[in-house]
């Protein structure tokens, strides 16, 4: 059975309109990194704005939740998941909502009523106990002993700290072959929550004050992977049909079996799937050190570390076959996965290459550290070195420390991290002034544009692209690079679009002075490594480019104007030449 289809068909047959999943990265809400629930893109409509598709909606929404990131590796948690949901925007309320859920579970999914139990809101000083929902459940045949009343922590739902909210009733399924206890105990882990019906009739403001909404809404959410596990009668979500081919491809890449290697395989499977969805999203997220880009980087790097644990040779593009399985699984339902397939594969490949440059040395450094550490904590300096020199996200260091019963001085790390950022900002300010001498403003701009072009070619054409030369004058820039084919119009258009996007993002350009070795280890691009002095300048543009370079550069990409490719031609065998202007 295809649960997603059955769910949508059922609610459509009850007068709901199916809406497409909103992007994973919220379009109009900078306060959250990802959509974490089906209701999130619907907030304006829950607050009263009329929805163009009407008052009854249903969908499968792509979600990412990071609260459990450290817990991934067990049987039931995922960072990415699809949430099935139905909504009433000021239309039906408790009776119909509970009735629909009950009908879908018992008539469509054929779940025996004996395996179901529910919780309802016990009420607090502001809101009364939800006897209405309890009575509805009883009228449908759920016995009193299978109804538990719980407080605000369990049965009151809100996304974040403020917004539309309300009491909820949660539906549980008894997932075990053991005898079903007569009385429902929500703490008994054999009962798993499968569906949450929220009765959104309140609004909580930033001060915590609760007022009634103008309309009474219903917002429900059902975790797809969890219910599929129930229907397929397995007690490990990763053993369902959803993960079958993905886990099989990890088994094939590693030459190991899932049994005995569950934790690392689950982490790899989960993190690659989430990375595919994040990097395919229209927002165009790339691995970086901030916001969604940092989450993407953390997920990929953690997957790489677990691949190493399984004995996979991470120097290969080992993620590709696994990512291809993920893409195959989802490309029919999500057009962006199909459209951005190449971008996704390239993101994984190039982040893998970047981390591989330093991973091994970093792991050695960590082992050395284990031998020398006194007490139970890894100090801030070592944690920072692992981050700065070897590219280990702090959370990865924490995870590795935990595996050895150690802690990390994370607070100290963050202090050091901030100090370091201040320093490099100051250093870059002073240096820019000096470097600018002898170059006109437009030439300086072309220098920076060259770095962006180099980075864009790597994304669009392939990470194998390397700079072979460049030449700048007041009129144009010229850039030679290794590439085995004439760029297609589409490739040129994509490269231009990417450079212009980075210009529009007004990315900061920073400079750091470091040893040549550190620069290479930190993943900086270098054209002729043997030609550089021992101490080099490394220019970083936002998180899109890092290159050893003499400069000069602008301080922010926003000043570059509009980038346009005027010519693309052969330069010599295996080398192409691009001429471009800033207008
Ligand atoms: N918003 C609720 C949840 O995420 C129901 O969809 O559980």
């Amino acid at each position: 059975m295809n649960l997603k289809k059955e769910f949508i068909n059922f609610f459509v047959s009850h007068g709901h309109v199916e809406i497409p999943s909103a992007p994973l990265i919220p379009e109009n809400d900078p306060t959250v990194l990802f959509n974490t629930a089906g209701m999130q893109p619907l907030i304006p409509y829950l607050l009263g704005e009329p929805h163009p598709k009407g008052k009854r909606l249903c969908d499968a929404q792509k979600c990412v939740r990071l609260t459990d990131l450290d817990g991934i590796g067990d049987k039931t948690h995922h960072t990415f998941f699809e949430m099935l949901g139905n909504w009433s925007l000021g239309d039906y309320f408790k009776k119909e909502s509970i009735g629909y859920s009950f009908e879908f579970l018992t008539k469509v999914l054929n779940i025996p009523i004996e395996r179901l139990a529910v919780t309802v809101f016990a009420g607090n000083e502001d809101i009364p106990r939800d006897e209405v929902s309890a009575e509805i459940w009883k009228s449908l045949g759920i016995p009193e002993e299978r109804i538990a009343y719980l407080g605000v922590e369990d049965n009151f739902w809100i996304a974040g700290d403020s917004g539309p909210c309300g009491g909820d009733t949660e539906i549980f399924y008894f997932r075990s072959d053991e005898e079903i206890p007569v009385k429902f105990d929500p703490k008994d882990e054999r009962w798993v929550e499968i569906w949450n019906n929220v009765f959104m009739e309140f609004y909580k403001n930033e001060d915590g004050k609760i007022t009634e909404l103008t309309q009474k809404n219903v917002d429900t959410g059902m975790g797809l992977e969890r219910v599929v596990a129930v229907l397929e009668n397995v007690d490990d979500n990763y053993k369902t049909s959803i993960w079958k081919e993905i886990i099989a491809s990890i088994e094939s890449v590693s030459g190991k079996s899932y049994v005995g290697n569950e934790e690392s395989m689950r982490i790899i499977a989960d993190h690659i799937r989430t990375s595919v969805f994040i990097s395919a999203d229209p927002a165009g997220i790339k691995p970086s050190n901030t916001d969604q880009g940092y989450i993407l980087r953390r997920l990929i790097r953690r997957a790489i570390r677990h691949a190493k644990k399984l004995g996979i040779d991470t120097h290969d593009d080992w993620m590709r076959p696994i990512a291809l399985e993920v893409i195959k699984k989802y490309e029919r339902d999500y057009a962006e996965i199909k459209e951005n397939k190449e971008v996704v594969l390239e993101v994984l490949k190039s982040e893998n290459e970047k981390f591989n440059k330093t991973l091994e040395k970093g792991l050695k450094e960590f082992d050395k550290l284990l031998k020398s550490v006194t007490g139970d904590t890894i100090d801030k300096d070592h944690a920072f070195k692992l981050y700065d020199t070897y590219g280990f996200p702090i959370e990865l260091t924490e995870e590795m420390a935990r595996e050895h019963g150690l802690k990390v001085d994370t607070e100290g790390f963050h202090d050091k991290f901030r100090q370091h950022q201040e320093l490099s900002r100051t250093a870059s300010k002073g240096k820019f002034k000096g470097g600018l001498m002898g170059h006109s403003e437009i030439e300086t701009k072309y220098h920076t544009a060259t770095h962006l072009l180099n980075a864009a070619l790597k994304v669009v054409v392939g990470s194998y692209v390397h700079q072979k030369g460049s030449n700048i004058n007041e009129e144009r820039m010229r850039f030679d690079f290794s590439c085995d084919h004439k760029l297609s119009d589409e490739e040129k258009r994509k490269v231009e679009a990417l450079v212009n996007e980075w210009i529009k993002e007004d990315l900061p350009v920073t400079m750091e002075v470091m040893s040549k070795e550190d620069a290479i280890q930190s993943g900086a691009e270098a054209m002729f490594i043997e030609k550089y002095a021992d101490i080099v300048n490394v220019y970083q543009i936002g998180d899109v480019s890092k290159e050893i370079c003499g400069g000069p550069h602008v301080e922010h990409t926003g000043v570059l104007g509009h980038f346009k490719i005027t010519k693309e031609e052969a330069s010599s065998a295996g080398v192409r030449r691009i001429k471009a202007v800033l207008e």
Side-chain angles (χ1 to χ4, degrees):
M1 130 149 35
N2 181 329
L3 176 62
K4 207 190 295 189
K5 235 193 219 144
E6 295 289 344
F7 183 93
I8 299 293
N9 286 348
F10 176 81
F11 281 100
V12 168
S13 78
H14 286 285
H16 294 65
V17 175
E18 182 188 4
I19 54 170
S21 171
L24 203 46
I25 288 119
E27 286 168 305
N28 301 313
D29 187 354
T31 60
V32 285
L33 293 180
F34 299 104
N35 272 316
T36 59
M39 56 73 75
Q40 220 146 4
L42 295 172
I43 289 176
Y45 313 107
L46 293 163
L47 298 181
E49 193 181 306
H51 192 285
K53 299 280 183 195
K55 294 181 169 187
R56 292 177 174 223
L57 307 173
C58 60
D59 76 4
Q61 169 65 41
K62 301 182 286 181
C63 299
V64 164
R65 282 192 187 173
L66 300 166
T67 37
D68 298 319
L69 218 166
D70 291 335
I72 305 294
D74 69 8
K75 293 174 178 179
T76 54
H77 285 98
H78 312 294
T79 47
F80 170 90
F81 61 98
E82 293 175 276
M83 186 184 278
L84 301 171
N86 62 285
W87 289 273
S88 154
L89 303 171
D91 191 26
Y92 60 81
F93 205 46
K94 295 180 180 174
K95 185 162 186 292
E96 295 85 342
S97 167
I98 292 175
Y100 289 149
S101 294
F102 186 77
E103 187 185 335
F104 182 70
L105 294 172
T106 57
K107 299 276 172 10
V108 180
L109 302 187
N110 292 319
I111 293 179
I113 187 167
E114 307 79 65
R115 290 207 167 258
L116 295 176
V118 300
T119 58
V120 295
F121 184 42
N124 65 2
E125 58 280 3
D126 300 322
I127 305 161
R129 183 180 171 95
D130 189 5
E131 296 295 2
V132 177
S133 292
E135 285 310 316
I136 299 167
W137 282 119
K138 278 187 226 165
S139 77
L140 292 168
I142 300 285
E144 180 91 52
E145 313 80 67
R146 291 282 169 81
I147 301 175
Y149 291 85
L150 298 177
V152 173
E153 314 75 52
D154 296 290
N155 279 60
F156 191 86
W157 205 90
I158 184 164
D161 296 327
S162 64
C165 53
D168 64 33
T169 178
E170 298 184 3
I171 308 170
F172 288 71
Y173 172 86
F174 191 73
R175 185 162 91 170
S176 163
D177 291 335
E178 290 160 73
E179 200 183 320
I180 313 174
V182 176
K183 195 166 166 51
F184 166 50
D185 173 8
K187 288 207 189 68
D188 179 341
E189 286 182 357
R190 291 175 299 175
W191 290 100
V192 288
E193 186 210 327
I194 53 172
W195 205 343
N196 183 12
N197 295 25
V198 187
F199 304 117
M200 289 202 156
E201 47 184 331
F202 302 107
Y203 183 81
K204 189 175 179 186
N205 73 9
E206 276 85 20
D207 305 327
K209 194 168 165 272
I210 289 192
T211 48
E212 267 184 49
L213 285 175
T214 47
Q215 66 187 35
K216 287 183 191 306
N217 309 289
V218 173
D219 152 44
T220 90
M222 175 193 263
L224 178 82
E225 7 286 282
R226 216 181 258 190
V227 178
V228 169
V230 163
L231 296 173
E232 294 183 4
N233 202 18
V234 287
D235 74 341
D236 172 348
N237 288 6
Y238 294 86
K239 286 189 181 157
T240 63
S241 51
I242 297 178
W243 294 97
K244 198 165 181 271
E245 291 85 4
I246 300 170
I247 293 288
S249 72
I250 301 173
E251 287 183 316
S252 137
V253 169
S254 63
K256 298 230 160 75
S257 105
Y258 178 63
V259 180
N261 295 293
E262 289 90 345
E263 192 190 23
S264 286
M265 289 208 186
R266 287 173 191 150
I267 289 174
I268 292 169
D270 174 87
H271 287 10
I272 291 183
R273 180 174 75 162
T274 307
S275 300
V276 167
F277 272 96
I278 294 176
S279 47
D281 212 64
I285 302 298
K286 297 281 179 298
S288 73
N289 291 333
T290 53
D291 300 336
Q292 291 97 343
Y294 182 59
I295 301 298
L296 179 57
R297 169 157 285 165
R298 268 172 72 185
L299 292 169
I300 299 175
R301 294 194 172 194
R302 189 166 180 229
I304 298 172
R305 217 242 335 156
H306 280 275
K308 257 202 139 24
K309 276 181 109 177
L310 289 179
I312 294 173
D313 179 1
T314 58
H315 291 93
D316 288 344
D317 191 5
W318 66 277
M319 278 186 271
R320 188 182 170 90
I322 304 163
L324 283 172
E325 285 302 339
V326 174
I327 292 168
K328 201 157 95 196
K329 180 128 226 116
Y330 291 101
E331 64 184 354
R332 267 193 313 275
D333 284 354
Y334 297 103
E336 68 279 12
I337 297 278
K338 196 180 171 111
E339 276 158 27
N340 297 325
K341 177 175 168 177
E342 293 308 321
V343 175
V344 167
L345 293 172
E346 188 50 38
V347 161
L348 296 175
K349 183 172 168 219
S350 86
E351 185 65 9
N352 186 53
E353 278 171 8
K354 258 192 206 140
F355 195 37
N356 257 300
K357 283 191 194 147
T358 57
L359 174 62
E360 218 122 319
K361 287 205 181 101
L363 290 173
K364 275 202 198 107
E365 175 83 14
F366 186 81
D367 283 344
K368 244 183 17 210
L369 186 59
L370 283 181
K371 290 193 194 98
S372 67
V373 71
T374 51
D376 64 351
T377 306
I378 291 181
D379 65 50
K380 62 178 191 300
D381 297 324
H382 282 103
F384 189 74
K385 185 165 183 201
L386 281 168
Y387 168 81
D388 193 43
T389 311
Y390 302 105
F392 282 47
I394 180 69
E395 296 80 4
L396 188 60
T397 303
E398 284 178 304
E399 177 181 326
M400 290 164 50
R402 256 199 315 274
E403 287 170 9
H404 292 89
L406 294 172
K407 292 187 296 224
V408 180
D409 176 9
T410 311
E411 224 169 90
F413 167 87
H414 285 298
D415 284 345
K416 210 172 151 84
F417 181 80
R418 273 189 294 273
Q419 276 167 17
H420 181 82
Q421 277 185 321
E422 292 292 315
L423 266 181
S424 51
R425 244 179 249 132
T426 324
S428 62
K429 279 219 176 86
K431 206 67 195 178
F432 283 141
K433 264 205 234 119
L436 280 173
M437 284 179 21
H439 289 269
S440 70
E441 202 182 317
I442 183 72
E443 283 172 316
T444 305
K445 287 180 182 171
Y446 277 131
H447 272 282
T448 308
T450 304
H451 287 212
L452 292 180
L453 173 60
N454 194 2
L457 284 166
K458 280 183 200 302
V459 175
V460 176
V461 181
S463 56
Y464 66 87
V465 166
H466 281 291
Q467 178 171 356
K468 289 285 176 194
S470 82
N471 173 283
I472 283 166
N473 64 30
E474 300 244 314
E475 266 76 52
R476 54 109 188 98
M477 56 187 275
R478 201 182 74 199
F479 185 77
D480 293 354
F481 59 101
S482 52
C483 175
D484 56 10
H485 63 277
K486 178 176 167 56
L487 296 195
S488 66
D489 288 346
E490 167 82 332
E491 281 175 316
K492 281 189 277 188
R493 195 191 54 72
K494 280 192 181 155
V495 168
E496 275 178 349
L498 199 51
V499 171
N500 283 317
E501 192 183 307
W502 289 332
I503 293 175
K504 221 168 86 204
E505 278 169 20
D506 199 18
L507 303 169
V509 183
T510 52
M511 197 274 287
E512 251 184 281
V513 182
M514 53 173 104
S515 72
K516 186 157 81 175
E517 203 196 326
D518 280 355
I520 300 296
Q521 271 179 356
S522 78
E525 268 283 305
M527 193 169 50
F528 302 112
I529 189 64
E530 60 285 355
K531 270 183 32 185
Y532 296 119
D534 287 344
I535 300 293
V536 294
N537 294 342
V538 174
Y539 280 91
Q540 175 146 359
I541 308 178
D543 289 302
V544 306
S545 151
K546 195 170 190 183
E547 282 195 41
I548 297 179
C549 175
H553 288 281
V554 302
E555 294 193 34
H556 280 271
T557 57
V559 300
L560 296 183
H562 184 258
F563 171 85
K564 191 169 147 207
I565 295 177
T566 51
K567 202 170 181 131
E568 195 273 335
E569 60 192 354
S571 163
S572 60
V575 178
R576 307 287 307 174
R577 168 168 292 179
I578 277 181
K579 287 188 185 151
V581 293
L582 290 171
E583 316 173 297

